[in-house]
Amino acid sequence: MRTILFLIIGGIGFDINHLIAYLNNPVKYMSLVGALENYVLVVLWIVGLYIEKGKFQS
């Protein structure tokens, strides 16, 4: 569970990095795609964390 929390924090860091790169140079669409991809990945990790948390409580 701690590993997933570290992945979420790291993913948010990468998201911010890609988003700032896109805002500095809007021509770089790949930075925007990277930011969106990482945001989706973080949301999926959070969903997975709740699923795993529910399994251990039962």
Side-chain angles (χ1 to χ4, degrees), residues 8-39:
I8 291 169
I9 292 169
I12 291 171
F14 281 121
D15 293 337
I16 292 170
N17 183 24
H18 284 301
L19 189 59
I20 289 172
Y22 174 71
L23 293 175
N24 285 334
N25 190 0
V27 177
K28 293 184 178 180
Y29 292 109
M30 289 308 294
S31 294
L32 180 62
V33 171
L36 294 175
E37 179 182 4
N38 283 331
Y39 281 125

Side-chain angles (χ1 to χ4, degrees), residues 4-5 10 14 23 28 30 34 40 44 48-50 53 57-58:
I4 296 174
L5 290 174
F14 281 121
L23 293 175
K28 293 184 178 180
M30 289 308 294
V40 169
L44 290 175
L49 182 65
Y50 283 120
K53 195 174 179 183
Q57 288 180 353
S58 299

Side-chain angles (χ1 to χ4, degrees), residues 1-14 42 45-46 49:
M1 186 153 119
R2 188 185 305 184
T3 304
I4 296 174
L5 290 174
F6 289 140
L7 286 171
I8 291 169
I9 292 169
I12 291 171
F14 281 121
V42 167
W45 280 332
I46 292 171
L49 182 65

